[in-house]
Amino acid sequence: GQQLNQSPQSMFIQEGEDVSMNCTSSSIFNTWLWYKQDPGEGPVLLIALYKAGELTSNGRLTAQFGITRKDSFLNISASIPSDVGIYFCAGPKTGANNLFFGTGTRLTVIP
Amino acid sequence: KAGVTQTPRYLIKTRGQQVTLSCSPISGHRSVSWYQQTPGQGLQFLFEYFSETQRNKGNFPGRFSGRQFSNSRSEMNVSTLELGDSALYLCASSLYGRADTGELFFGEGSRLTVL
């Protein structure tokens, strides 16, 4: 089946630093989604990418859809304490209406 | 606009028991999906319902079942609980169930502990 591997698994950074994380797949995806899950909450969509090579921003977040369609990257600039949480990449299963989720990157921001 | 509501938020069961979890989607949404989240397996798709019909099912044993009512509310049931069923069960609501548009809105989840 399709597997989405995220790296790093966890990050500890100082407030104000920039963050980069990525997601790779063994299969091609036509859509890449990035979600954030706060403790005790469900995932919330951050950014959606629909085209290979696409670069999309949402405030301090920027995500890119890899050219090979097998990877995606998420950057967070000038991190703040509320960026703490788990970040998941996700892609839809071909021909179906459910998502494959990545393994997640747990972000800790030290004030 | 009210969000996705899942009940109960927390519950503890023992092996062999069964459990029913409930999800009320966003008003007007007709699709409800269920996901299981565990530390070891991450987020995995269970099934999706649209207009009371199961459209899609993940790789879970038959002990996991669900249904959707005419008001779009959904329930999932797990019978003969096993320790490995301990997880956060997340419900996602969407208008048409188009996962590729990112239109899934998740509830806060029901955390099940099996002892």
Side-chain angles (χ1 to χ4, degrees):
Chain A
Q2 290 162 308
Q3 290 190 338
L4 301 180
N5 295 307
Q6 288 184 244
S7 64
Q9 271 191 313
S10 62
M11 304 178 76
F12 290 80
I13 61 168
Q14 291 286 140
E15 183 177 356
E17 288 183 350
D18 296 343
V19 174
S20 291
M21 60 188 78
N22 68 63
C23 181
T24 59
S25 168
S26 56
S27 304
I28 288 173
F29 281 96
N30 293 315
T31 298
W32 282 96
L33 307 169
W34 283 93
Y35 286 84
K36 181 194 177 200
Q37 186 175 26
D38 289 329
E41 305 282 332
V44 173
L45 181 68
L46 298 173
I47 291 180
L49 301 158
Y50 302 109
K51 190 176 173 184
E54 179 183 356
L55 190 71
T56 298
S57 293
N58 178 7
R60 294 178 297 104
L61 277 61
T62 302
Q64 182 159 25
F65 192 141
I67 290 291
T68 65
R69 292 195 283 155
K70 290 186 176 183
D71 55 10
S72 180
F73 307 87
L74 177 69
N75 295 315
I76 305 173
S77 62
S79 59
I80 58 178
S82 63
D83 290 334
V84 165
I86 305 176
Y87 291 79
F88 292 99
C89 61
K93 182 175 179 181
T94 303
N97 41 17
N98 61 277
L99 292 175
F100 284 102
F101 279 87
T103 48
T105 293
R106 183 182 294 273
L107 179 63
T108 300
V109 179
I110 303 166
Chain B
K1 193 175 192 182
V4 180
T5 304
Q6 292 188 244
T7 57
R9 289 291 311 279
Y10 303 91
L11 66 167
I12 300 173
K13 294 284 186 179
T14 56
R15 279 180 297 175
Q17 287 187 311
Q18 74 162 12
V19 66
T20 299
L21 309 177
S22 178
C23 173
S24 292
I26 292 170
S27 178
H29 283 193
R30 297 164 64 188
S31 167
V32 173
S33 303
W34 289 88
Y35 288 79
Q36 181 196 63
Q37 185 175 24
T38 60
Q41 299 298 319
L43 277 150
Q44 291 189 296
F45 172 74
L46 280 156
F47 27 66
E48 188 247 355
Y49 287 86
F50 183 85
S51 293
E52 302 178 67
T53 301
Q54 186 183 87
R55 290 200 301 190
N56 196 11
K57 190 176 189 305
N59 275 342
F60 280 82
R63 300 185 297 107
F64 292 81
S65 63
R67 58 178 176 168
Q68 186 179 34
F69 303 95
S70 58
N71 62 358
S72 293
R73 189 177 72 86
S74 176
E75 289 181 347
M76 67 163 283
N77 184 78
V78 188
S79 62
T80 319
L81 284 166
E82 301 177 359
L83 294 180
D85 297 333
S86 295
L88 181 67
Y89 290 88
L90 291 160
C91 164
S93 156
S94 73
L95 194 57
Y96 300 115
R98 288 286 307 277
D100 59 346
T101 62
E103 65 168 56
L104 297 186
F105 296 89
F106 285 86
E108 294 176 319
S110 293
R111 183 166 295 281
L112 169 66
T113 301
V114 182
L115 302 177

